[in-house]
Amino acid sequence: MSLFERFFKVFSNEVGIDLGTANTLVYIKGYGIVINEPSVVAVNQKTGQVVAVGRDARQMLGRTPAHIVAVRPLVDGVISNFEVTEEMLIYLLNKVAKISKRFIGPRVLVGVPSGITNVERRAVYDAARGAGAREVFTIEEPMAAAIGMRLPIEDPVGSMVIDIGGGTTDIAVISMGGIVKAKNLKVAGDHLNEAIINYIRNEFKILIGEKSAESVKIAIGSAAKLDAPAESPIRGRDLISGLPREVVITDSDIREALAEPIHLIVESAKEVLETTPPEILSDIMYRGVYVAGGGALIKNLDALLFEHLNLPIHSADDPLTVVARGTGIVLEDIDAYRDIIMGSDDELLPQIK
């Protein structure tokens, strides 16, 4: 190793980022997951300056004056607002530098949805480079999730992963270090919240916000019938009178609201299985399906998947962090995983030394 390479190894970081629609997690090699922030940025439209990022910005959603807008710069797992995404990454990488006390631009590995286009991948690359990264590589999120769950991805054995995030659901069959079959579905946590908002509006004539929908989803949401009934109060604006109103809703109400988007996820999983080679399918029948992402926390989702797929269902330990943990495992031995990580443009990105 040259003196130049040693200098960078001592004074720069290797950082894994799960750049999610709902939350962004950051892993620093040697430290673990050090940042878990909502993917929200508050911008002052008069000055163009960033007012807050992460949790502070999320608290402002729906509570800001007209000139301050809290925005989510990622939609359906990809960058929709390049400048704001770059500002968010600058904020995160600055926090990384303060935590590790290493101030030279890091090598960054970013998790992205499967099936991402070259243009979308290039946007991730440019945003990370603009935020100060020295090198940028990407890894498909279902692959990172499989690595985070310590599945034998390099072996000639089939593994099936369903990663239900905030903006997208990635369904992938993995074998020998590659994705054999995959489907990226624009139905995930945010769409479940939207389904709850629409249901409450149509059935109870009350308008609620996204945060209220997410809170009730976490509290009493389920994919299949619960052992004991549950209920929760919910507050919003009465669409008829225009005044505040509170109603009590049950788990069956939320289950009815979530039925359609969850059905789409189940049907997409069936479609992937239908096109999977028979030998790999036999492996999946024996080993089961692994569920990751925030959607894995929906109560009784494993029971519903088992009912429809007739396969063993395994939920990841701490499913919210599994993709970030996967990027960390890759960073710990990046040469071993060289074949599964990608750049935005192979001709433009530096090769791994």
mmCIF file of all heavy atoms in Angstrom, residues 111-150:
data_model
loop_
_atom_site.group_PDB
_atom_site.id
_atom_site.type_symbol
_atom_site.label_atom_id
_atom_site.label_comp_id
_atom_site.label_asym_id
_atom_site.label_seq_id
_atom_site.Cartn_x
_atom_site.Cartn_y
_atom_site.Cartn_z
ATOM 1 N N GLY A 111 -27.319 2.224 -0.776
ATOM 2 C CA GLY A 111 -28.334 1.253 -1.163
ATOM 3 C C GLY A 111 -29.392 1.898 -2.037
ATOM 4 O O GLY A 111 -29.907 2.967 -1.701
ATOM 5 N N VAL A 112 -29.712 1.260 -3.158
ATOM 6 C CA VAL A 112 -30.710 1.783 -4.095
ATOM 7 C C VAL A 112 -31.701 0.667 -4.432
ATOM 8 O O VAL A 112 -31.378 -0.516 -4.314
ATOM 9 C CB VAL A 112 -30.051 2.311 -5.394
ATOM 10 C CG1 VAL A 112 -29.141 3.491 -5.097
ATOM 11 C CG2 VAL A 112 -29.279 1.204 -6.116
ATOM 12 N N PRO A 113 -32.925 1.020 -4.877
ATOM 13 C CA PRO A 113 -33.899 -0.022 -5.240
ATOM 14 C C PRO A 113 -33.416 -0.872 -6.414
ATOM 15 O O PRO A 113 -32.640 -0.415 -7.250
ATOM 16 C CB PRO A 113 -35.151 0.784 -5.633
ATOM 17 C CG PRO A 113 -34.966 2.124 -5.008
ATOM 18 C CD PRO A 113 -33.498 2.368 -4.994
ATOM 19 N N SER A 114 -33.873 -2.113 -6.473
ATOM 20 C CA SER A 114 -33.559 -2.951 -7.632
ATOM 21 C C SER A 114 -34.287 -2.387 -8.847
ATOM 22 O O SER A 114 -35.349 -1.788 -8.734
ATOM 23 C CB SER A 114 -33.998 -4.401 -7.382
ATOM 24 O OG SER A 114 -35.407 -4.482 -7.259
ATOM 25 N N GLY A 115 -33.694 -2.562 -10.010
ATOM 26 C CA GLY A 115 -34.330 -2.072 -11.222
ATOM 27 C C GLY A 115 -34.185 -0.591 -11.427
ATOM 28 O O GLY A 115 -34.840 -0.009 -12.302
ATOM 29 N N ILE A 116 -33.342 0.072 -10.644
ATOM 30 C CA ILE A 116 -33.143 1.509 -10.794
ATOM 31 C C ILE A 116 -32.507 1.792 -12.157
ATOM 32 O O ILE A 116 -31.679 1.025 -12.642
ATOM 33 C CB ILE A 116 -32.252 2.034 -9.639
ATOM 34 C CG1 ILE A 116 -32.224 3.556 -9.609
ATOM 35 C CG2 ILE A 116 -30.842 1.484 -9.721
ATOM 36 C CD1 ILE A 116 -31.519 4.116 -8.384
ATOM 37 N N THR A 117 -32.907 2.876 -12.795
ATOM 38 C CA THR A 117 -32.371 3.205 -14.115
ATOM 39 C C THR A 117 -30.998 3.853 -13.971
ATOM 40 O O THR A 117 -30.600 4.307 -12.893
ATOM 41 C CB THR A 117 -33.296 4.183 -14.856
ATOM 42 O OG1 THR A 117 -33.294 5.451 -14.166
ATOM 43 C CG2 THR A 117 -34.720 3.648 -14.918
ATOM 44 N N ASN A 118 -30.265 3.901 -15.089
ATOM 45 C CA ASN A 118 -28.942 4.526 -15.076
ATOM 46 C C ASN A 118 -29.033 6.007 -14.710
ATOM 47 O O ASN A 118 -28.149 6.545 -14.033
ATOM 48 C CB ASN A 118 -28.261 4.360 -16.437
ATOM 49 C CG ASN A 118 -27.820 2.940 -16.690
ATOM 50 O OD1 ASN A 118 -27.573 2.182 -15.749
ATOM 51 N ND2 ASN A 118 -27.731 2.549 -17.956
ATOM 52 N N VAL A 119 -30.085 6.660 -15.168
ATOM 53 C CA VAL A 119 -30.260 8.082 -14.852
ATOM 54 C C VAL A 119 -30.482 8.262 -13.350
ATOM 55 O O VAL A 119 -29.892 9.166 -12.726
ATOM 56 C CB VAL A 119 -31.447 8.676 -15.646
ATOM 57 C CG1 VAL A 119 -31.760 10.095 -15.173
ATOM 58 C CG2 VAL A 119 -31.150 8.668 -17.137
ATOM 59 N N GLU A 120 -31.311 7.410 -12.754
ATOM 60 C CA GLU A 120 -31.574 7.495 -11.322
ATOM 61 C C GLU A 120 -30.330 7.160 -10.511
ATOM 62 O O GLU A 120 -30.049 7.803 -9.488
ATOM 63 C CB GLU A 120 -32.737 6.567 -10.954
ATOM 64 C CG GLU A 120 -34.076 7.022 -11.522
ATOM 65 C CD GLU A 120 -35.130 5.942 -11.491
ATOM 66 O OE1 GLU A 120 -34.774 4.755 -11.320
ATOM 67 O OE2 GLU A 120 -36.324 6.273 -11.642
ATOM 68 N N ARG A 121 -29.573 6.161 -10.961
ATOM 69 C CA ARG A 121 -28.329 5.818 -10.273
ATOM 70 C C ARG A 121 -27.322 6.954 -10.387
ATOM 71 O O ARG A 121 -26.596 7.267 -9.450
ATOM 72 C CB ARG A 121 -27.742 4.525 -10.831
ATOM 73 C CG ARG A 121 -26.501 4.055 -10.063
ATOM 74 C CD ARG A 121 -25.946 2.748 -10.586
ATOM 75 N NE ARG A 121 -26.852 1.647 -10.299
ATOM 76 C CZ ARG A 121 -27.474 0.928 -11.223
ATOM 77 N NH1 ARG A 121 -27.279 1.190 -12.510
ATOM 78 N NH2 ARG A 121 -28.267 -0.051 -10.881
ATOM 79 N N ARG A 122 -27.283 7.593 -11.555
ATOM 80 C CA ARG A 122 -26.369 8.706 -11.753
ATOM 81 C C ARG A 122 -26.728 9.872 -10.819
ATOM 82 O O ARG A 122 -25.848 10.564 -10.312
ATOM 83 C CB ARG A 122 -26.435 9.167 -13.213
ATOM 84 C CG ARG A 122 -25.486 10.312 -13.549
ATOM 85 C CD ARG A 122 -24.054 9.839 -13.522
ATOM 86 N NE ARG A 122 -23.120 10.929 -13.407
ATOM 87 C CZ ARG A 122 -21.885 10.895 -13.881
ATOM 88 N NH1 ARG A 122 -21.446 9.818 -14.495
ATOM 89 N NH2 ARG A 122 -21.083 11.910 -13.722
ATOM 90 N N ALA A 123 -28.020 10.071 -10.584
ATOM 91 C CA ALA A 123 -28.441 11.136 -9.669
ATOM 92 C C ALA A 123 -27.936 10.868 -8.259
ATOM 93 O O ALA A 123 -27.489 11.788 -7.557
ATOM 94 C CB ALA A 123 -29.967 11.255 -9.686
ATOM 95 N N VAL A 124 -27.983 9.596 -7.827
ATOM 96 C CA VAL A 124 -27.449 9.226 -6.517
ATOM 97 C C VAL A 124 -25.954 9.509 -6.464
ATOM 98 O O VAL A 124 -25.439 10.086 -5.492
ATOM 99 C CB VAL A 124 -27.728 7.734 -6.223
ATOM 100 C CG1 VAL A 124 -27.006 7.288 -4.960
ATOM 101 C CG2 VAL A 124 -29.228 7.488 -6.094
ATOM 102 N N TYR A 125 -25.256 9.097 -7.514
ATOM 103 C CA TYR A 125 -23.808 9.304 -7.587
ATOM 104 C C TYR A 125 -23.463 10.792 -7.517
ATOM 105 O O TYR A 125 -22.612 11.223 -6.723
ATOM 106 C CB TYR A 125 -23.286 8.688 -8.884
ATOM 107 C CG TYR A 125 -21.854 9.038 -9.209
ATOM 108 C CD1 TYR A 125 -20.814 8.428 -8.526
ATOM 109 C CD2 TYR A 125 -21.550 9.967 -10.189
ATOM 110 C CE1 TYR A 125 -19.493 8.750 -8.823
ATOM 111 C CE2 TYR A 125 -20.243 10.297 -10.487
ATOM 112 C CZ TYR A 125 -19.213 9.684 -9.803
ATOM 113 O OH TYR A 125 -17.914 10.003 -10.094
ATOM 114 N N ASP A 126 -24.129 11.597 -8.329
ATOM 115 C CA ASP A 126 -23.822 13.029 -8.375
ATOM 116 C C ASP A 126 -24.156 13.718 -7.056
ATOM 117 O O ASP A 126 -23.421 14.611 -6.610
ATOM 118 C CB ASP A 126 -24.597 13.702 -9.516
ATOM 119 C CG ASP A 126 -24.046 13.328 -10.884
ATOM 120 O OD1 ASP A 126 -22.892 12.860 -10.950
ATOM 121 O OD2 ASP A 126 -24.769 13.503 -11.885
ATOM 122 N N ALA A 127 -25.272 13.330 -6.428
ATOM 123 C CA ALA A 127 -25.648 13.940 -5.158
ATOM 124 C C ALA A 127 -24.622 13.622 -4.072
ATOM 125 O O ALA A 127 -24.236 14.509 -3.287
ATOM 126 C CB ALA A 127 -27.038 13.469 -4.731
ATOM 127 N N ALA A 128 -24.168 12.364 -4.032
ATOM 128 C CA ALA A 128 -23.175 11.984 -3.020
ATOM 129 C C ALA A 128 -21.829 12.656 -3.273
ATOM 130 O O ALA A 128 -21.173 13.128 -2.342
ATOM 131 C CB ALA A 128 -23.018 10.465 -2.982
ATOM 132 N N ARG A 129 -21.423 12.737 -4.543
ATOM 133 C CA ARG A 129 -20.167 13.432 -4.861
ATOM 134 C C ARG A 129 -20.286 14.918 -4.538
ATOM 135 O O ARG A 129 -19.347 15.532 -4.014
ATOM 136 C CB ARG A 129 -19.806 13.240 -6.331
ATOM 137 C CG ARG A 129 -19.287 11.855 -6.691
ATOM 138 C CD ARG A 129 -18.010 11.513 -5.944
ATOM 139 N NE ARG A 129 -16.906 12.390 -6.293
ATOM 140 C CZ ARG A 129 -15.997 12.129 -7.227
ATOM 141 N NH1 ARG A 129 -16.075 11.006 -7.909
ATOM 142 N NH2 ARG A 129 -15.023 12.984 -7.461
ATOM 143 N N GLY A 130 -21.433 15.514 -4.845
ATOM 144 C CA GLY A 130 -21.642 16.916 -4.534
ATOM 145 C C GLY A 130 -21.637 17.190 -3.039
ATOM 146 O O GLY A 130 -21.311 18.302 -2.600
ATOM 147 N N ALA A 131 -21.986 16.160 -2.246
ATOM 148 C CA ALA A 131 -21.991 16.310 -0.786
ATOM 149 C C ALA A 131 -20.611 16.106 -0.180
ATOM 150 O O ALA A 131 -20.446 16.271 1.032
ATOM 151 C CB ALA A 131 -22.977 15.326 -0.171
ATOM 152 N N GLY A 132 -19.625 15.729 -1.015
ATOM 153 C CA GLY A 132 -18.260 15.606 -0.512
ATOM 154 C C GLY A 132 -17.682 14.211 -0.500
ATOM 155 O O GLY A 132 -16.572 14.004 0.007
ATOM 156 N N ALA A 133 -18.396 13.222 -1.045
ATOM 157 C CA ALA A 133 -17.865 11.863 -1.062
ATOM 158 C C ALA A 133 -16.681 11.759 -2.027
ATOM 159 O O ALA A 133 -16.687 12.348 -3.099
ATOM 160 C CB ALA A 133 -18.957 10.875 -1.471
ATOM 161 N N ARG A 134 -15.673 10.989 -1.619
ATOM 162 C CA ARG A 134 -14.483 10.795 -2.464
ATOM 163 C C ARG A 134 -14.755 9.771 -3.562
ATOM 164 O O ARG A 134 -14.355 9.951 -4.707
ATOM 165 C CB ARG A 134 -13.319 10.338 -1.578
ATOM 166 C CG ARG A 134 -12.057 9.918 -2.311
ATOM 167 C CD ARG A 134 -10.916 9.726 -1.315
ATOM 168 N NE ARG A 134 -11.256 8.793 -0.254
ATOM 169 C CZ ARG A 134 -10.965 7.490 -0.290
ATOM 170 N NH1 ARG A 134 -10.355 6.965 -1.334
ATOM 171 N NH2 ARG A 134 -11.284 6.708 0.725
ATOM 172 N N GLU A 135 -15.414 8.696 -3.212
ATOM 173 C CA GLU A 135 -15.815 7.659 -4.170
ATOM 174 C C GLU A 135 -17.240 7.248 -3.825
ATOM 175 O O GLU A 135 -17.625 7.249 -2.656
ATOM 176 C CB GLU A 135 -14.905 6.431 -4.092
ATOM 177 C CG GLU A 135 -13.492 6.650 -4.586
ATOM 178 C CD GLU A 135 -12.678 5.381 -4.461
ATOM 179 O OE1 GLU A 135 -12.613 4.829 -3.345
ATOM 180 O OE2 GLU A 135 -12.118 4.930 -5.463
ATOM 181 N N VAL A 136 -18.020 6.886 -4.831
ATOM 182 C CA VAL A 136 -19.412 6.502 -4.614
ATOM 183 C C VAL A 136 -19.694 5.200 -5.357
ATOM 184 O O VAL A 136 -19.383 5.077 -6.544
ATOM 185 C CB VAL A 136 -20.393 7.589 -5.109
ATOM 186 C CG1 VAL A 136 -21.830 7.187 -4.788
ATOM 187 C CG2 VAL A 136 -20.074 8.934 -4.488
ATOM 188 N N PHE A 137 -20.292 4.256 -4.648
ATOM 189 C CA PHE A 137 -20.726 3.000 -5.250
ATOM 190 C C PHE A 137 -22.150 2.717 -4.782
ATOM 191 O O PHE A 137 -22.594 3.252 -3.757
ATOM 192 C CB PHE A 137 -19.795 1.849 -4.860
ATOM 193 C CG PHE A 137 -18.382 2.049 -5.303
ATOM 194 C CD1 PHE A 137 -17.459 2.657 -4.462
ATOM 195 C CD2 PHE A 137 -17.969 1.678 -6.572
ATOM 196 C CE1 PHE A 137 -16.155 2.860 -4.858
ATOM 197 C CE2 PHE A 137 -16.667 1.893 -6.985
ATOM 198 C CZ PHE A 137 -15.751 2.485 -6.125
ATOM 199 N N THR A 138 -22.853 1.917 -5.528
ATOM 200 C CA THR A 138 -24.227 1.582 -5.158
ATOM 201 C C THR A 138 -24.393 0.079 -5.059
ATOM 202 O O THR A 138 -23.650 -0.695 -5.678
ATOM 203 C CB THR A 138 -25.239 2.122 -6.198
ATOM 204 O OG1 THR A 138 -24.935 1.579 -7.490
ATOM 205 C CG2 THR A 138 -25.196 3.640 -6.258
ATOM 206 N N ILE A 139 -25.370 -0.329 -4.265
ATOM 207 C CA ILE A 139 -25.718 -1.739 -4.125
ATOM 208 C C ILE A 139 -27.233 -1.833 -4.081
ATOM 209 O O ILE A 139 -27.900 -0.984 -3.478
ATOM 210 C CB ILE A 139 -25.087 -2.349 -2.854
ATOM 211 C CG1 ILE A 139 -25.429 -3.840 -2.742
ATOM 212 C CG2 ILE A 139 -25.521 -1.609 -1.598
ATOM 213 C CD1 ILE A 139 -24.655 -4.559 -1.642
ATOM 214 N N GLU A 140 -27.780 -2.812 -4.755
ATOM 215 C CA GLU A 140 -29.237 -2.972 -4.761
ATOM 216 C C GLU A 140 -29.722 -3.387 -3.372
ATOM 217 O O GLU A 140 -29.120 -4.236 -2.713
ATOM 218 C CB GLU A 140 -29.645 -3.992 -5.819
ATOM 219 C CG GLU A 140 -29.417 -3.478 -7.245
ATOM 220 C CD GLU A 140 -29.763 -4.504 -8.296
ATOM 221 O OE1 GLU A 140 -29.146 -5.580 -8.284
ATOM 222 O OE2 GLU A 140 -30.623 -4.223 -9.127
ATOM 223 N N GLU A 141 -30.798 -2.758 -2.932
ATOM 224 C CA GLU A 141 -31.258 -2.925 -1.553
ATOM 225 C C GLU A 141 -31.624 -4.359 -1.183
ATOM 226 O O GLU A 141 -31.305 -4.797 -0.067
ATOM 227 C CB GLU A 141 -32.422 -1.973 -1.279
ATOM 228 C CG GLU A 141 -31.948 -0.531 -1.158
ATOM 229 C CD GLU A 141 -33.076 0.468 -1.037
ATOM 230 O OE1 GLU A 141 -34.243 0.060 -1.219
ATOM 231 O OE2 GLU A 141 -32.791 1.645 -0.768
ATOM 232 N N PRO A 142 -32.297 -5.137 -2.047
ATOM 233 C CA PRO A 142 -32.558 -6.524 -1.636
ATOM 234 C C PRO A 142 -31.279 -7.333 -1.446
ATOM 235 O O PRO A 142 -31.219 -8.201 -0.577
ATOM 236 C CB PRO A 142 -33.421 -7.081 -2.778
ATOM 237 C CG PRO A 142 -33.228 -6.149 -3.922
ATOM 238 C CD PRO A 142 -32.927 -4.816 -3.334
ATOM 239 N N MET A 143 -30.237 -7.025 -2.220
ATOM 240 C CA MET A 143 -28.953 -7.688 -2.033
ATOM 241 C C MET A 143 -28.329 -7.275 -0.710
ATOM 242 O O MET A 143 -27.818 -8.111 0.051
ATOM 243 C CB MET A 143 -28.012 -7.346 -3.196
ATOM 244 C CG MET A 143 -26.653 -8.028 -3.116
ATOM 245 S SD MET A 143 -26.747 -9.820 -3.304
ATOM 246 C CE MET A 143 -26.973 -9.947 -5.091
ATOM 247 N N ALA A 144 -28.380 -5.962 -0.408
ATOM 248 C CA ALA A 144 -27.845 -5.492 0.868
ATOM 249 C C ALA A 144 -28.630 -6.092 2.037
ATOM 250 O O ALA A 144 -28.045 -6.454 3.071
ATOM 251 C CB ALA A 144 -27.894 -3.968 0.924
ATOM 252 N N ALA A 145 -29.955 -6.214 1.874
ATOM 253 C CA ALA A 145 -30.774 -6.813 2.931
ATOM 254 C C ALA A 145 -30.396 -8.274 3.146
ATOM 255 O O ALA A 145 -30.303 -8.736 4.296
ATOM 256 C CB ALA A 145 -32.255 -6.695 2.572
ATOM 257 N N ALA A 146 -30.174 -9.009 2.057
ATOM 258 C CA ALA A 146 -29.774 -10.410 2.173
ATOM 259 C C ALA A 146 -28.436 -10.536 2.892
ATOM 260 O O ALA A 146 -28.248 -11.421 3.740
ATOM 261 C CB ALA A 146 -29.695 -11.044 0.782
ATOM 262 N N ILE A 147 -27.503 -9.652 2.564
ATOM 263 C CA ILE A 147 -26.204 -9.665 3.237
ATOM 264 C C ILE A 147 -26.376 -9.306 4.710
ATOM 265 O O ILE A 147 -25.762 -9.919 5.594
ATOM 266 C CB ILE A 147 -25.230 -8.690 2.540
ATOM 267 C CG1 ILE A 147 -24.924 -9.182 1.122
ATOM 268 C CG2 ILE A 147 -23.932 -8.541 3.335
ATOM 269 C CD1 ILE A 147 -24.177 -8.179 0.270
ATOM 270 N N GLY A 148 -27.221 -8.308 4.990
ATOM 271 C CA GLY A 148 -27.476 -7.914 6.371
ATOM 272 C C GLY A 148 -28.106 -9.022 7.191
ATOM 273 O O GLY A 148 -27.909 -9.094 8.410
ATOM 274 N N MET A 149 -28.867 -9.908 6.547
ATOM 275 C CA MET A 149 -29.473 -11.052 7.245
ATOM 276 C C MET A 149 -28.568 -12.271 7.234
ATOM 277 O O MET A 149 -28.971 -13.351 7.676
ATOM 278 C CB MET A 149 -30.823 -11.388 6.602
ATOM 279 C CG MET A 149 -31.912 -10.383 6.902
ATOM 280 S SD MET A 149 -33.545 -10.858 6.275
ATOM 281 C CE MET A 149 -33.368 -10.434 4.531
ATOM 282 N N ARG A 150 -27.351 -12.101 6.697
ATOM 283 C CA ARG A 150 -26.343 -13.175 6.660
ATOM 284 C C ARG A 150 -26.818 -14.383 5.860
ATOM 285 O O ARG A 150 -26.511 -15.532 6.192
ATOM 286 C CB ARG A 150 -25.980 -13.615 8.087
ATOM 287 C CG ARG A 150 -25.444 -12.506 8.965
ATOM 288 C CD ARG A 150 -24.022 -12.142 8.617
ATOM 289 N NE ARG A 150 -23.462 -11.137 9.520
ATOM 290 C CZ ARG A 150 -22.200 -10.721 9.489
ATOM 291 N NH1 ARG A 150 -21.370 -11.235 8.595
ATOM 292 N NH2 ARG A 150 -21.769 -9.812 10.326
#
